[in-house]
Amino acid sequence: MADKAKGKDAPTNPRGIPYAPFVDKVEDYVSSRAEVDSTMKSFQEMISKYQFMELSTQRRSAGLRDKIPDIQKTLETVRFLKTRTSTSAPLKTTFSLAPTLYAHATIAPPSSPSSTSSTTKEQEQEAEQEVYLWLGANVMLSYPVSEAEDLLDEKLEAARKALAGCEEDLEFLREQVTTLEVATARVYNWDVTQRRKDKAEPHDGDGDGDDGETKRLPNG
């Protein structure tokens, strides 16, 4: 039956995508020709679902491939700013306001805490330079440089893991589509074989006459 292809406890890959049923013996899924159409329809629906998931995963993978270089560039910039001290020269640079619009900016060196012996940890933290990071959805937050570096490190690692997962899922999904295409072909071939058998059965007694006598060959 087609329902056998959908087990409640079907095994899945690490991202929860179920394995396609492997049809080794057609009789385990189809007990009569009446079930062929429903079984093949079920397989075709599963193929469509896998192909839809493949397209979605491809889009996510493309987005991550664009995102990772941006995170890397931002992280490199934050690490560069972290190396600057109060004695560093002002830094002249440009930054993007829009896809085709840039503006000039001068980044002053970080201010140093007072050199008195009573400098506290809070004063040192206040003296640490800050950076502003876009978090998406038109949201920007300021972070101390050290915190920004840790955050970007985490985001970069997470993006790389997500991309690796997407690549594994794409390969997995292609394999499941191939498995179902093979299963569909086996069910179809089984149906063709059964149809031929059904057509051949009424002619099994053609060698005998109606009265049981053997037919004579011409000129025999």
Side-chain angles (χ1 to χ4, degrees):
M1 296 290 290
D3 293 340
K4 295 180 181 179
K6 301 178 181 178
K8 293 183 179 179
D9 299 325
T12 64
N13 78 338
R15 261 73 58 188
I17 303 175
Y19 280 84
F22 178 76
V23 179
D24 185 25
K25 188 177 180 182
V26 176
E27 289 78 4
D28 293 339
Y29 291 84
V30 179
S31 57
S32 67
R33 286 188 56 206
E35 298 177 357
V36 169
D37 289 342
S38 60
T39 300
M40 294 181 65
K41 182 179 178 181
S42 174
F43 288 163
Q44 290 300 320
E45 289 176 352
M46 294 173 69
I47 288 175
S48 297
K49 290 179 181 179
Y50 281 122
Q51 290 174 336
F52 176 79
M53 285 188 284
E54 183 179 356
L55 289 174
S56 299
T57 305
Q58 286 175 342
R59 294 191 192 100
R60 189 184 179 207
S61 176
L64 288 168
R65 290 183 183 278
D66 292 337
K67 183 178 181 180
I68 287 175
D70 290 339
I71 298 176
Q72 288 175 323
K73 291 178 181 178
T74 305
L75 181 57
E76 291 172 0
T77 301
V78 168
R79 286 174 174 167
F80 169 74
L81 293 174
K82 190 177 180 180
T83 63
R84 288 169 55 79
T85 64
S86 58
T87 59
S88 300
L91 178 64
K92 293 183 178 181
T93 185
T94 57
F95 63 94
S96 175
L97 296 177
T100 58
L101 180 62
Y102 289 81
H104 294 287
T106 301
I107 302 176
S111 58
S112 59
S114 59
S115 57
T116 61
S117 58
S118 60
T119 300
T120 63
K121 184 177 182 180
E122 289 75 10
Q123 289 174 328
E124 292 177 354
Q125 290 177 342
E126 290 178 359
E128 184 178 5
Q129 62 178 327
E130 293 182 341
V131 294
Y132 292 82
L133 300 179
W134 283 109
L135 301 182
N138 296 324
V139 176
M140 175 183 281
L141 291 179
S142 65
Y143 292 89
V145 173
S146 56
E147 291 184 15
E149 183 181 15
D150 293 339
L151 177 64
L152 291 169
D153 270 327
E154 293 175 1
K155 286 186 174 292
L156 181 59
E157 183 65 21
R160 285 172 172 169
K161 287 182 179 180
L163 180 59
C166 285
E167 295 299 322
E168 292 178 5
D169 287 347
L170 285 173
E171 183 65 24
F172 177 81
L173 289 166
R174 294 187 189 105
E175 290 176 357
Q176 305 321 299
V177 170
T178 300
T179 299
L180 284 168
E181 288 174 344
V182 171
T184 301
R186 287 181 174 176
V187 173
Y188 175 82
N189 291 337
W190 181 88
D191 182 45
V192 171
T193 301
Q194 295 301 313
R195 193 179 307 162
R196 289 174 178 171
K197 288 181 179 180
D198 292 346
K199 289 182 178 179
E201 285 177 358
H203 304 288
D204 288 343
D206 285 352
D208 297 331
D210 293 339
D211 56 357
E213 296 181 357
T214 303
K215 290 182 179 180
R216 295 179 178 273
L217 297 175
N219 302 325

